[in-house]
């Protein structure tokens, strides 16, 4: 009895230790890429996006409409969104943004909503399936006529419908290098989400994140000491293509 009690007490500890942080590099070497472009993640895993060049986003979409924001019936954006992350040419610190996987059985789809980066192949998948593969998602993106997250032709909204994988928000900041980031998407309020955003620390030329807090459907991004927080809606004013 005592042994079984000890084992039961240790199970949550083992589950916590099994959770991992997966690093994804955004715009590495000036390319329009996420590296890796597809990952397999479990419940509780954190995916940490490190923005390394230009002005990109990590924006949630759907398999059917890869280059369009997820919206509700009123046109309100409900998918998670990093906002635009501007990285100056001579940056010494880099923005870092993270999400936590809450439902690993649900494939998640993301893209960069800068201009037509999505059509150029800047798309990312979490837990794609054989039926809905990363390659098929990328092919759908190449055929899309959406720009900057706009609705795809023939669709009634920015997506083919809302998803249980939405519902988190993030806040914005100005880094110590002076770059201003764009706004994250509002919360959806449609029940339990498959993904939520979180807070991370600033980074050096080899970016790293700390102080993750990613399960409350709200988050912040912090860049180094003395970082200043602000909110900014809509697209970034400075588009670095």
């Amino acid at each position: 009895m005592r042994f079984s009690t000890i084992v039961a007490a240790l199970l949550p500890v083992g589950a916590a230790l099994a959770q991992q942080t997966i690093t994804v590099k955004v715009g590495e070497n000036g390319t329009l890429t996420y590296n890796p472009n597809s990952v397999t993640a479990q419940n509780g895993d954190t995916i940490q996006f490190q923005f390394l060049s230009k002005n990109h986003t990590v924006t949630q979409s759907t398999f059917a409409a890869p280059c369009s924001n997820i919206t509700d019936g009123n046109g309100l954006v409900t998918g998670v969104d990093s906002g635009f992350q501007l990285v100056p040419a001579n940056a010494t610190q880099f923005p870092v943004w993270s999400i936590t996987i809450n439902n690993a059985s649900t494939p998640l789809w993301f893209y960069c909503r800068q201009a037509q980066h999505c059509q150029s192949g800047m798309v990312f998948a979490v837990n794609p399936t054989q039926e809905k593969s990363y390659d098929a998602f990328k092919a759908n993106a190449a055929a899309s006529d959406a720009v900057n997250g706009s609705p795809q032709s023939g669709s009634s909204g920015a997506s083919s419908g809302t998803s249980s994988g939405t519902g988190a928000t993030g806040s914005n900041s100005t880094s110590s290098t002076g770059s201003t980031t764009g706004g994250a998407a509002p919360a959806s309020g449609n029940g339990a989400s498959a993904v939520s955003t979180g807070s991370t620390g600033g980074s050096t030329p080899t970016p790293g994140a700390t102080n993750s807090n990613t399960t409350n459907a709200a988050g912040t991004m912090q860049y180094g000491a003395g970082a200043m927080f602000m909110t900014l809606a809509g697209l970034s004013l400075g588009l670095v293509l």
Side-chain angles (χ1 to χ4, degrees), residues 155-180:
S155 65
S156 58
S159 75
S160 57
T162 57
S163 162
S164 62
T166 65
T169 63
S171 63
N172 318 284
S173 65
T174 301
S175 76
S176 59
T177 60
S179 60
T180 302

Side-chain angles (χ1 to χ4, degrees), residues 69-149:
N69 299 331
I70 297 178
T71 64
D72 62 15
N74 297 317
L76 178 67
V77 175
T78 57
V80 297
D81 187 357
S82 68
F84 283 94
Q85 303 295 323
L86 176 63
V87 180
N90 298 317
T92 57
Q93 293 192 348
F94 300 88
V96 177
W97 182 77
S98 66
I99 59 175
T100 293
I101 303 303
N102 299 330
N103 183 0
S105 65
T106 301
L108 299 173
W109 313 99
F110 298 88
Y111 73 105
C112 177
R113 60 184 169 91
Q114 177 72 275
Q116 290 190 313
H117 289 190
C118 179
Q119 287 85 345
S120 298
M122 197 167 186
V123 293
F124 174 76
V126 180
N127 298 332
T129 64
Q130 184 174 358
E131 294 76 17
K132 294 184 177 180
S133 66
Y134 171 81
D135 288 339
F137 178 59
K138 185 177 179 179
N140 288 347
S144 173
D145 58 5
V147 180
N148 295 328

Side-chain angles (χ1 to χ4, degrees), residues 32-55:
L32 303 184
T33 60
Y34 301 100
N35 184 22
N37 53 31
S38 177
V39 301
T40 299
Q42 304 301 319
N43 288 344
D45 285 353
T46 296
I47 302 177
Q48 178 194 101
F49 296 92
Q50 301 177 349
F51 295 83
L52 302 180
S53 71
K54 300 186 178 181
N55 194 14

